[in-house]
Amino acid sequence: QEARYQAAATLLGQAEPLLQKFPLVQAQALLLWGDVLSAHGQKAAAEQKYQMASTLNFAEFQDEIAYRLGMVQAELGKKEAALESLQ
């Protein structure tokens, strides 16, 4: 399973410059990337990807991004940030 994570992380990293041309797809990819990182215990890296996704301001994803961001922040012990994200 670790090999799959590495492959996914590598592919997402390679695709990131291309995704910048398509912000909606970029938001979805960042959300999924954050999920992969979080699932593999890399909570700080996941937080960064969720934060990046939130800056793209797609209303259809903001609730989902805010929830995942808040949950990972809570797991990192960032209680105030988590509460702010979840509001």
Side-chain angles (χ1 to χ4, degrees):
Q1 191 168 0
E2 185 63 28
R4 289 183 189 166
Y5 160 71
Q6 289 296 340
T10 299
L11 289 173
L12 286 166
Q14 292 172 348
E16 193 169 16
L18 177 62
L19 291 172
Q20 291 176 0
K21 296 179 182 181
F22 305 98
L24 180 61
V25 177
Q26 183 182 21
Q28 292 172 317
L30 287 167
L31 185 62
L32 291 173
W33 197 349
D35 292 348
V36 168
L37 292 166
S38 181
H40 285 84
Q42 296 186 18
K43 304 298 182 180
E47 178 187 26
Q48 181 186 25
K49 298 305 178 193
Y50 294 143
Q51 288 171 332
M52 290 171 64
S54 72
T55 65
L56 296 173
N57 294 320
F58 284 101
E60 59 266 34
F61 296 115
Q62 286 306 312
D63 289 343
E64 191 170 348
I65 293 168
Y67 173 76
R68 293 181 189 183
L69 177 59
M71 295 306 291
V72 81
Q73 287 170 328
E75 291 174 11
L76 287 168
K78 298 180 177 182
K79 293 180 183 180
E80 289 183 27
L83 289 171
E84 186 176 321
S85 294
L86 293 168
Q87 287 183 353

Coordinates of all heavy atoms in Angstrom, one line a residue:
Q1 N 0.8 -1.2 0.0 CA 0.0 0.0 0.0 C 0.9 1.3 0.0 O 0.5 2.2 -0.6 CB -0.9 0.0 1.2 CG -2.0 1.0 1.1 CD -3.1 0.8 2.1 OE1 -3.1 -0.1 2.9 NE2 -4.1 1.7 2.1
E2 N 2.0 1.2 0.6 CA 2.9 2.3 0.7 C 3.4 2.7 -0.8 O 3.5 3.9 -1.1 CB 4.1 2.0 1.6 CG 5.1 3.2 1.7 CD 4.4 4.4 2.4 OE1 3.5 4.2 3.2 OE2 4.8 5.6 2.2
A3 N 3.6 1.7 -1.6 CA 4.0 1.9 -3.0 C 2.9 2.7 -3.7 O 3.2 3.6 -4.5 CB 4.3 0.6 -3.7
R4 N 1.7 2.4 -3.5 CA 0.5 3.1 -4.1 C 0.5 4.5 -3.7 O 0.3 5.4 -4.5 CB -0.8 2.4 -3.8 CG -1.0 1.1 -4.4 CD -2.3 0.5 -4.1 NE -2.4 -0.8 -4.6 CZ -3.4 -1.6 -4.2 NH1 -4.3 -1.2 -3.4 NH2 -3.4 -2.9 -4.7
Y5 N 0.8 4.8 -2.4 CA 0.8 6.1 -1.9 C 1.9 6.9 -2.6 O 1.7 8.0 -3.0 CB 1.0 6.1 -0.4 CG 1.5 7.5 0.1 CD1 0.7 8.6 0.2 CD2 2.9 7.6 0.6 CE1 1.2 9.8 0.6 CE2 3.3 8.8 1.0 CZ 2.5 9.9 1.0 OH 3.0 11.1 1.4
Q6 N 3.1 6.3 -2.7 CA 4.2 7.0 -3.3 C 3.9 7.3 -4.8 O 4.2 8.4 -5.3 CB 5.5 6.1 -3.2 CG 6.1 6.1 -1.8 CD 6.5 7.4 -1.3 OE1 6.8 8.3 -2.1 NE2 6.6 7.6 0.0
A7 N 3.3 6.3 -5.5 CA 2.9 6.5 -6.9 C 1.9 7.7 -7.0 O 2.0 8.5 -7.9 CB 2.4 5.2 -7.5
A8 N 0.9 7.7 -6.1 CA -0.1 8.7 -6.2 C 0.5 10.1 -5.9 O 0.2 11.1 -6.6 CB -1.2 8.4 -5.2
A9 N 1.4 10.2 -4.9 CA 2.0 11.4 -4.6 C 2.9 11.9 -5.7 O 2.9 13.1 -6.0 CB 2.8 11.3 -3.3
T10 N 3.6 11.0 -6.3 CA 4.5 11.4 -7.4 C 3.6 11.9 -8.6 O 4.0 12.9 -9.2 CB 5.3 10.2 -7.9 OG1 6.1 9.8 -6.8 CG2 6.2 10.5 -9.1
L11 N 2.6 11.2 -9.0 CA 1.7 11.6 -10.1 C 1.1 12.9 -9.8 O 1.0 13.8 -10.7 CB 0.7 10.5 -10.4 CG 1.2 9.2 -11.0 CD1 0.1 8.2 -11.1 CD2 1.8 9.5 -12.4
L12 N 0.6 13.1 -8.6 CA -0.1 14.4 -8.3 C 1.0 15.5 -8.3 O 0.6 16.6 -8.8 CB -0.7 14.3 -6.9 CG -2.0 13.5 -6.9 CD1 -2.4 13.2 -5.5 CD2 -3.1 14.3 -7.6
G13 N 2.2 15.3 -7.9 CA 3.2 16.3 -7.9 C 3.6 16.7 -9.3 O 3.7 17.9 -9.7
Q14 N 3.6 15.7 -10.2 CA 3.9 16.0 -11.6 C 2.8 16.7 -12.3 O 3.0 17.5 -13.2 CB 4.2 14.6 -12.3 CG 5.5 14.0 -11.9 CD 5.7 12.6 -12.5 OE1 4.8 12.0 -13.0 NE2 6.9 12.0 -12.3
A15 N 1.6 16.4 -11.9 CA 0.4 17.0 -12.6 C 0.1 18.4 -12.1 O -0.6 19.1 -12.7 CB -0.8 16.1 -12.4
E16 N 0.7 18.8 -10.9 CA 0.3 20.1 -10.3 C 0.5 21.3 -11.3 O -0.4 22.1 -11.4 CB 1.1 20.3 -9.0 CG 0.5 21.4 -8.2 CD 1.1 21.5 -6.8 OE1 2.2 20.8 -6.6 OE2 0.5 22.2 -6.0
P17 N 1.6 21.4 -12.0 CA 1.7 22.6 -12.9 C 0.6 22.6 -14.0 O 0.1 23.6 -14.3 CB 3.1 22.4 -13.6 CG 3.8 21.5 -12.6 CD 2.8 20.6 -12.0
L18 N 0.3 21.4 -14.5 CA -0.8 21.3 -15.5 C -2.2 21.7 -14.9 O -3.0 22.4 -15.5 CB -0.9 19.9 -16.1 CG -2.0 19.7 -17.1 CD1 -1.8 20.6 -18.3 CD2 -2.0 18.2 -17.5
L19 N -2.4 21.2 -13.7 CA -3.7 21.5 -13.0 C -3.9 23.0 -12.8 O -5.1 23.4 -12.7 CB -3.7 20.7 -11.7 CG -3.8 19.2 -11.8 CD1 -3.7 18.6 -10.4 CD2 -5.1 18.8 -12.5
Q20 N -2.9 23.8 -12.7 CA -3.0 25.2 -12.5 C -3.8 25.9 -13.6 O -4.4 26.9 -13.4 CB -1.7 25.9 -12.3 CG -1.1 25.5 -11.0 CD 0.3 26.1 -10.8 OE1 0.8 26.8 -11.6 NE2 0.9 25.7 -9.7
K21 N -3.8 25.2 -14.8 CA -4.6 25.7 -15.9 C -6.1 25.4 -15.8 O -6.9 26.0 -16.5 CB -4.1 25.2 -17.2 CG -2.7 25.6 -17.5 CD -2.2 24.9 -18.8 CE -0.8 25.3 -19.1 NZ -0.2 24.8 -20.3
F22 N -6.4 24.5 -14.9 CA -7.8 24.1 -14.7 C -8.1 24.1 -13.2 O -8.1 23.1 -12.5 CB -8.0 22.7 -15.2 CG -7.6 22.5 -16.7 CD1 -6.3 22.0 -17.0 CD2 -8.4 22.9 -17.7 CE1 -5.9 21.9 -18.3 CE2 -8.1 22.8 -19.0 CZ -6.8 22.3 -19.3
P23 N -8.5 25.3 -12.7 CA -8.6 25.5 -11.2 C -9.7 24.5 -10.6 O -9.5 24.1 -9.4 CB -9.1 26.9 -11.1 CG -8.6 27.6 -12.3 CD -8.6 26.6 -13.4
L24 N -10.8 24.2 -11.2 CA -11.8 23.3 -10.6 C -11.2 21.9 -10.4 O -11.3 21.3 -9.4 CB -13.0 23.2 -11.5 CG -14.1 22.4 -11.0 CD1 -14.6 22.8 -9.6 CD2 -15.3 22.3 -12.0
V25 N -10.5 21.4 -11.5 CA -9.8 20.1 -11.4 C -8.7 20.2 -10.3 O -8.5 19.2 -9.6 CB -9.3 19.6 -12.7 CG1 -8.6 18.3 -12.6 CG2 -10.5 19.5 -13.7
Q26 N -8.0 21.3 -10.3 CA -6.9 21.5 -9.3 C -7.5 21.4 -7.9 O -6.9 20.7 -7.0 CB -6.2 22.8 -9.5 CG -5.1 23.0 -8.6 CD -4.4 24.4 -8.8 OE1 -5.0 25.3 -9.3 NE2 -3.2 24.5 -8.3
A27 N -8.6 22.0 -7.6 CA -9.2 21.9 -6.3 C -9.6 20.5 -5.9 O -9.3 20.1 -4.8 CB -10.5 22.8 -6.2
Q28 N -10.1 19.8 -6.9 CA -10.5 18.4 -6.6 C -9.2 17.5 -6.4 O -9.2 16.7 -5.5 CB -11.2 17.8 -7.8 CG -12.6 18.4 -8.0 CD -13.3 17.9 -9.2 OE1 -12.7 17.9 -10.3 NE2 -14.6 17.6 -9.1
A29 N -8.2 17.8 -7.2 CA -6.9 17.0 -7.0 C -6.3 17.3 -5.7 O -5.7 16.4 -5.0 CB -6.0 17.4 -8.1
L30 N -6.3 18.6 -5.2 CA -5.7 19.0 -4.0 C -6.5 18.3 -2.8 O -5.9 17.9 -1.8 CB -5.7 20.5 -3.8 CG -4.6 21.2 -4.6 CD1 -4.9 22.7 -4.7 CD2 -3.2 20.9 -4.2
L31 N -7.8 18.3 -3.0 CA -8.6 17.6 -1.9 C -8.2 16.1 -1.8 O -8.0 15.6 -0.7 CB -10.1 17.8 -2.3 CG -11.1 17.3 -1.3 CD1 -11.0 18.0 0.0 CD2 -12.5 17.5 -1.8
L32 N -8.1 15.5 -3.0 CA -7.8 14.0 -3.0 C -6.3 13.8 -2.5 O -6.0 12.9 -1.7 CB -7.9 13.5 -4.4 CG -9.3 13.3 -4.9 CD1 -9.3 12.9 -6.3 CD2 -10.1 12.4 -4.0
W33 N -5.4 14.7 -2.8 CA -4.0 14.7 -2.4 C -4.0 14.8 -0.9 O -3.3 14.0 -0.2 CB -3.2 15.7 -3.1 CG -1.7 15.6 -3.0 CD1 -1.0 14.7 -2.3 CD2 -0.8 16.4 -3.8 NE1 0.3 14.9 -2.6 CE2 0.5 15.9 -3.5 CE3 -0.9 17.4 -4.7 CZ2 1.6 16.4 -4.0 CZ3 0.2 18.0 -5.2 CH2 1.5 17.5 -4.9
G34 N -4.8 15.7 -0.3 CA -4.8 15.9 1.1 C -5.4 14.6 1.8 O -4.9 14.2 2.8
D35 N -6.3 14.0 1.2 CA -6.9 12.7 1.7 C -5.8 11.6 1.7 O -5.7 10.9 2.7 CB -8.1 12.2 0.8 CG -9.3 13.1 1.0 OD1 -9.3 14.0 1.8 OD2 -10.2 13.0 0.1
V36 N -5.0 11.5 0.7 CA -4.0 10.5 0.6 C -3.0 10.7 1.7 O -2.6 9.8 2.4 CB -3.3 10.5 -0.8 CG1 -2.1 9.6 -0.8 CG2 -4.3 9.9 -1.8
L37 N -2.5 12.0 1.8 CA -1.5 12.3 2.8 C -2.1 12.1 4.2 O -1.4 11.5 5.1 CB -1.1 13.8 2.7 CG -0.3 14.1 1.4 CD1 -0.3 15.6 1.2 CD2 1.1 13.5 1.5
S38 N -3.3 12.5 4.5 CA -3.9 12.3 5.8 C -4.0 10.8 6.1 O -3.7 10.4 7.3 CB -5.3 12.9 5.9 OG -5.9 12.8 7.1
A39 N -4.4 10.0 5.2 CA -4.6 8.6 5.4 C -3.3 7.9 5.7 O -3.3 6.8 6.4 CB -5.2 7.9 4.2
H40 N -2.2 8.5 5.3 CA -0.9 7.9 5.6 C -0.1 8.6 6.7 O 1.1 8.6 6.8 CB -0.1 7.9 4.3 CG -0.5 6.8 3.4 ND1 -1.6 6.9 2.5 CD2 -0.1 5.5 3.3 CE1 -1.8 5.8 1.9 NE2 -0.9 4.9 2.3
G41 N -0.9 9.4 7.5 CA -0.3 9.9 8.7 C 0.4 11.2 8.5 O 1.0 11.8 9.4
Q42 N 0.4 11.8 7.3 CA 1.1 13.0 7.0 C 0.2 14.2 7.1 O -0.2 14.8 6.2 CB 1.8 13.0 5.7 CG 2.9 11.9 5.6 CD 3.6 11.9 4.3 OE1 3.6 12.9 3.6 NE2 4.3 10.8 4.0
K43 N -0.3 14.4 8.4 CA -1.3 15.4 8.7 C -0.9 16.8 8.3 O -1.8 17.6 7.8 CB -1.8 15.3 10.1 CG -2.2 13.9 10.6 CD -3.4 13.4 9.8 CE -3.8 12.0 10.4 NZ -4.9 11.5 9.7
A44 N 0.3 17.2 8.6 CA 0.7 18.6 8.3 C 0.7 18.8 6.8 O 0.3 19.9 6.3 CB 2.1 18.9 8.9
A45 N 1.2 17.9 6.0 CA 1.2 18.0 4.6 C -0.3 18.0 4.0 O -0.6 18.8 3.1 CB 2.0 16.9 3.9
A46 N -1.1 17.2 4.6 CA -2.5 17.2 4.2 C -3.2 18.6 4.5 O -3.9 19.1 3.7 CB -3.3 16.1 5.0
E47 N -2.9 19.1 5.7 CA -3.4 20.5 6.0 C -3.0 21.5 5.0 O -3.8 22.3 4.5 CB -2.8 20.9 7.4 CG -3.3 22.3 7.8 CD -2.6 22.8 9.0 OE1 -1.5 22.4 9.4 OE2 -3.2 23.6 9.7
Q48 N -1.7 21.4 4.5 CA -1.3 22.3 3.5 C -2.1 22.2 2.2 O -2.5 23.2 1.6 CB 0.2 22.1 3.2 CG 0.8 23.0 2.2 CD 2.2 22.7 1.8 OE1 2.7 21.6 2.0 NE2 2.9 23.7 1.4
K49 N -2.3 20.9 1.8 CA -3.1 20.7 0.5 C -4.5 21.2 0.7 O -5.1 21.8 -0.3 CB -3.0 19.2 0.1 CG -1.7 18.7 -0.2 CD -0.9 19.5 -1.2 CE 0.5 19.0 -1.4 NZ 1.4 19.9 -2.1
Y50 N -5.1 20.9 1.8 CA -6.5 21.4 2.0 C -6.5 23.0 2.0 O -7.5 23.6 1.5 CB -7.1 20.9 3.3 CG -7.3 19.4 3.4 CD1 -7.0 18.7 4.5 CD2 -7.7 18.7 2.3 CE1 -7.3 17.3 4.6 CE2 -7.9 17.3 2.3 CZ -7.7 16.6 3.5 OH -7.9 15.3 3.5
Q51 N -5.5 23.6 2.6 CA -5.5 25.0 2.6 C -5.3 25.6 1.2 O -6.0 26.6 0.8 CB -4.3 25.5 3.5 CG -4.6 25.4 5.0 CD -3.4 25.7 5.9 OE1 -2.3 25.5 5.5 NE2 -3.7 26.1 7.1
M52 N -4.5 24.9 0.4 CA -4.3 25.3 -1.0 C -5.7 25.2 -1.7 O -6.0 26.1 -2.5 CB -3.2 24.5 -1.6 CG -1.8 24.8 -1.1 SD -0.6 23.6 -1.8 CE -0.6 24.0 -3.5
A53 N -6.4 24.1 -1.5 CA -7.7 23.9 -2.2 C -8.7 25.0 -1.8 O -9.4 25.5 -2.6 CB -8.2 22.5 -1.8
S54 N -8.6 25.4 -0.5 CA -9.6 26.4 0.0 C -9.4 27.7 -0.6 O -10.3 28.5 -0.8 CB -9.6 26.5 1.5 OG -8.4 27.1 2.0
T55 N -8.1 28.0 -1.0 CA -7.9 29.3 -1.6 C -8.4 29.5 -3.1 O -8.5 30.6 -3.6 CB -6.4 29.7 -1.7 OG1 -5.7 28.7 -2.5 CG2 -5.7 29.6 -0.3
L56 N -8.8 28.4 -3.7 CA -9.3 28.4 -5.0 C -10.8 28.8 -5.1 O -11.3 29.1 -6.1 CB -9.1 27.0 -5.7 CG -7.7 26.6 -5.9 CD1 -7.5 25.2 -6.4 CD2 -6.9 27.6 -6.8
N57 N -11.4 28.9 -3.9 CA -12.8 29.5 -3.8 C -13.8 28.9 -4.7 O -14.6 29.6 -5.4 CB -12.7 31.0 -4.0 CG -11.9 31.7 -2.9 OD1 -12.0 31.3 -1.7 ND2 -11.1 32.6 -3.2
F58 N -14.0 27.6 -4.7 CA -15.1 27.0 -5.4 C -16.1 26.6 -4.4 O -15.9 25.8 -3.6 CB -14.6 25.7 -6.2 CG -13.9 26.0 -7.4 CD1 -12.5 26.0 -7.5 CD2 -14.5 26.4 -8.6 CE1 -11.8 26.3 -8.6 CE2 -13.8 26.8 -9.7 CZ -12.5 26.7 -9.8
A59 N -17.3 27.3 -4.5 CA -18.3 27.1 -3.5 C -18.8 25.7 -3.3 O -19.1 25.3 -2.2 CB -19.5 28.0 -3.9
E60 N -18.8 24.9 -4.4 CA -19.3 23.6 -4.3 C -18.4 22.6 -3.5 O -18.8 21.6 -3.1 CB -19.5 22.9 -5.7 CG -18.3 22.9 -6.6 CD -18.2 24.1 -7.5 OE1 -18.6 25.2 -7.2 OE2 -17.7 23.9 -8.6
F61 N -17.1 23.1 -3.3 CA -16.2 22.3 -2.5 C -15.9 22.8 -1.1 O -15.2 22.2 -0.3 CB -14.9 22.1 -3.2 CG -15.0 21.3 -4.5 CD1 -14.7 21.9 -5.7 CD2 -15.4 20.0 -4.5 CE1 -14.9 21.2 -6.9 CE2 -15.5 19.3 -5.7 CZ -15.2 19.9 -6.9
Q62 N -16.3 24.1 -0.9 CA -15.8 24.7 0.4 C -16.2 24.0 1.6 O -15.4 23.9 2.6 CB -16.3 26.2 0.4 CG -15.5 27.1 -0.6 CD -14.0 27.0 -0.4 OE1 -13.5 27.1 0.7 NE2 -13.3 26.8 -1.5
D63 N -17.4 23.5 1.7 CA -17.9 22.8 2.9 C -17.0 21.5 3.1 O -16.6 21.3 4.3 CB -19.4 22.4 2.9 CG -20.3 23.7 3.0 OD1 -19.8 24.7 3.4 OD2 -21.5 23.5 2.6
E64 N -16.8 20.8 2.1 CA -16.1 19.6 2.2 C -14.6 19.9 2.6 O -14.0 19.2 3.4 CB -16.1 18.8 0.9 CG -15.6 17.4 0.9 CD -15.9 16.7 -0.4 OE1 -16.7 17.1 -1.2 OE2 -15.3 15.6 -0.5
I65 N -14.0 20.9 1.9 CA -12.6 21.3 2.2 C -12.5 21.7 3.7 O -11.6 21.4 4.4 CB -12.1 22.3 1.2 CG1 -12.0 21.7 -0.2 CG2 -10.8 22.9 1.7 CD1 -11.8 22.8 -1.3
A66 N -13.5 22.6 4.1 CA -13.4 23.1 5.4 C -13.5 22.0 6.5 O -12.8 22.0 7.5 CB -14.6 24.1 5.6
Y67 N -14.4 21.0 6.2 CA -14.5 19.9 7.1 C -13.2 19.1 7.2 O -12.7 18.9 8.3 CB -15.7 19.0 6.7 CG -15.8 17.7 7.5 CD1 -16.3 17.8 8.8 CD2 -15.3 16.5 7.0 CE1 -16.4 16.6 9.6 CE2 -15.3 15.4 7.8 CZ -15.9 15.4 9.1 OH -15.9 14.3 9.8
R68 N -12.7 18.8 6.1 CA -11.4 18.0 6.1 C -10.3 18.7 6.7 O -9.5 18.2 7.4 CB -11.1 17.5 4.7 CG -12.1 16.5 4.2 CD -11.8 16.0 2.9 NE -13.0 15.2 2.4 CZ -13.0 14.6 1.2 NH1 -11.9 14.6 0.4 NH2 -14.0 13.9 0.8
L69 N -10.2 20.0 6.4 CA -9.2 20.9 7.0 C -9.3 21.0 8.5 O -8.3 20.8 9.2 CB -9.2 22.3 6.3 CG -8.2 23.3 6.9 CD1 -6.8 22.9 6.7 CD2 -8.5 24.7 6.2
G70 N -10.5 21.2 8.9 CA -10.8 21.3 10.4 C -10.4 20.0 11.1 O -9.9 20.0 12.2
M71 N -10.8 18.9 10.5 CA -10.5 17.6 11.1 C -9.0 17.3 11.2 O -8.5 16.8 12.3 CB -11.2 16.4 10.4 CG -12.7 16.5 10.4 SD -13.4 16.6 12.1 CE -13.1 15.0 12.7
V72 N -8.3 17.6 10.2 CA -6.8 17.4 10.2 C -6.2 18.3 11.2 O -5.2 18.0 11.9 CB -6.2 17.4 8.8 CG1 -5.9 18.7 8.3 CG2 -4.9 16.5 8.8
Q73 N -6.7 19.5 11.3 CA -6.1 20.5 12.2 C -6.4 20.0 13.6 O -5.5 20.2 14.5 CB -6.7 21.9 12.0 CG -6.2 22.6 10.7 CD -6.9 23.8 10.4 OE1 -8.1 24.0 10.6 NE2 -6.2 24.7 9.8
A74 N -7.6 19.5 13.9 CA -7.9 18.9 15.2 C -6.9 17.8 15.5 O -6.4 17.7 16.7 CB -9.3 18.5 15.3
E75 N -6.6 16.9 14.6 CA -5.7 15.8 14.8 C -4.3 16.3 15.1 O -3.5 15.6 15.7 CB -5.7 14.9 13.6 CG -7.0 14.1 13.5 CD -7.1 13.3 12.2 OE1 -6.1 13.1 11.5 OE2 -8.2 12.8 11.9
L76 N -3.9 17.5 14.5 CA -2.6 18.1 14.8 C -2.6 18.9 16.1 O -1.5 19.4 16.4 CB -2.3 19.0 13.6 CG -1.9 18.4 12.3 CD1 -1.9 19.4 11.1 CD2 -0.6 17.7 12.4
G77 N -3.7 19.0 16.8 CA -3.8 19.7 18.0 C -4.0 21.2 17.9 O -3.8 21.9 18.8
K78 N -4.4 21.6 16.7 CA -4.6 23.0 16.4 C -6.1 23.3 16.6 O -6.9 23.5 15.7 CB -4.2 23.4 15.0 CG -2.7 23.1 14.7 CD -2.4 23.5 13.3 CE -0.9 23.4 13.0 NZ -0.6 23.7 11.6
K79 N -6.5 23.3 17.9 CA -7.9 23.4 18.2 C -8.6 24.7 17.7 O -9.7 24.7 17.2 CB -8.1 23.2 19.7 CG -7.7 21.9 20.2 CD -7.9 21.7 21.7 CE -7.5 20.3 22.1 NZ -7.6 20.0 23.5
E80 N -7.9 25.8 17.9 CA -8.5 27.1 17.5 C -8.7 27.2 16.0 O -9.7 27.6 15.4 CB -7.7 28.3 18.0 CG -7.8 28.5 19.5 CD -7.1 29.7 20.0 OE1 -6.9 30.6 19.2 OE2 -6.7 29.7 21.2
A81 N -7.6 26.7 15.3 CA -7.7 26.7 13.8 C -8.8 25.8 13.3 O -9.5 26.1 12.4 CB -6.3 26.3 13.2
A82 N -8.9 24.6 14.0 CA -9.9 23.6 13.6 C -11.3 24.2 13.8 O -12.2 24.0 12.9 CB -9.7 22.4 14.4
L83 N -11.5 24.8 14.9 CA -12.8 25.5 15.2 C -13.2 26.5 14.1 O -14.3 26.6 13.6 CB -12.9 26.0 16.6 CG -13.0 25.0 17.7 CD1 -12.8 25.7 19.1 CD2 -14.2 24.2 17.7
E84 N -12.2 27.3 13.8 CA -12.4 28.3 12.8 C -12.7 27.7 11.4 O -13.6 28.2 10.7 CB -11.1 29.2 12.6 CG -11.3 30.4 11.7 CD -10.1 31.3 11.7 OE1 -9.5 31.5 12.7 OE2 -9.7 31.8 10.6
S85 N -12.0 26.7 11.0 CA -12.2 26.0 9.8 C -13.6 25.4 9.7 O -14.3 25.3 8.7 CB -11.2 24.9 9.5 OG -9.9 25.5 9.4
L86 N -14.1 24.8 10.8 CA -15.3 24.1 10.9 C -16.6 25.0 11.0 O -17.7 24.5 11.0 CB -15.3 23.1 12.0 CG -14.3 21.9 11.8 CD1 -14.1 21.1 13.0 CD2 -14.8 21.0 10.6
Q87 N -16.3 26.3 11.2 CA -17.5 27.2 11.4 C -18.1 27.6 10.1 O -17.6 27.6 9.1 CB -17.1 28.5 12.1 CG -16.8 28.3 13.5 CD -16.4 29.5 14.3 OE1 -16.3 30.6 13.7 NE2 -16.3 29.4 15.6

